[in-house]
Amino acid sequence: MYARRRRAYFLLMGGCLVLFVSAWGFVRLWSVPAAVAMCLVAMVIPPVAAMIANRRGPDDRWWDDPSGDPQSDEWWDELDGKRRPDRRERRDRDGEQDRDQDRDRGPDKDGPGGSAP
């Protein structure tokens, strides 16, 4: 895929150079407006060539595709917010928070028997 995109890029850029050189080399002798028009067309070609050269092909790996390393993929998914913690992890974390809150509250002020009158 990369070779096809590279070939297309060089063909477009070669066409751009041919247009520019021929416009001011010999077309200007017959028609200056035609030479200017050729230069305007040549001016549009480089950005189009860059877009074609940087386009993602159907077989190309993209920056957020899985790499095949499960630990790395899991880590990146968690950083990107794509993966939520498993239920067990959430339950364990919530349980720890509940225990921390109980410990911070301390013993009941009313004593073991219930509420005060």
Side-chain angles (χ1 to χ4, degrees):
M1 293 300 164
Y2 175 70
R4 185 180 330 159
R5 289 190 318 229
R6 188 174 57 186
R7 191 174 325 126
Y9 175 78
F10 284 120
L11 284 173
L12 284 168
M13 291 305 288
C16 175
L17 287 174
V18 167
L19 280 172
F20 185 75
V21 170
S22 65
W24 296 113
F26 58 88
V27 173
R28 70 175 169 88
L29 299 175
W30 289 285
S31 173
V32 172
V36 170
M38 289 172 68
C39 283
L40 290 176
V41 170
M43 182 179 66
V44 174
I45 292 175
V48 171
M51 286 186 271
I52 288 174
N54 291 317
R55 175 177 67 184
R56 176 184 173 216
D59 296 336
D60 293 341
R61 187 175 176 276
W62 198 238
W63 65 272
D64 60 347
D65 283 345
S67 66
D69 178 19
Q71 185 177 7
S72 175
D73 292 340
E74 181 179 334
W75 184 69
W76 281 108
D77 287 346
E78 187 174 336
L79 282 177
D80 290 338
K82 291 182 181 177
R83 185 185 75 83
R84 303 174 104 191
D86 294 337
R87 288 184 187 183
R88 184 175 54 224
E89 292 175 13
R90 272 188 272 152
R91 192 176 333 118
D92 292 344
R93 189 175 56 225
D94 292 344
E96 291 173 10
Q97 289 174 353
D98 291 343
R99 284 190 298 256
D100 291 342
Q101 289 173 355
D102 290 343
R103 187 180 53 216
D104 291 342
R105 255 191 307 227
D108 291 333
K109 296 180 181 178
D110 302 333
S115 62

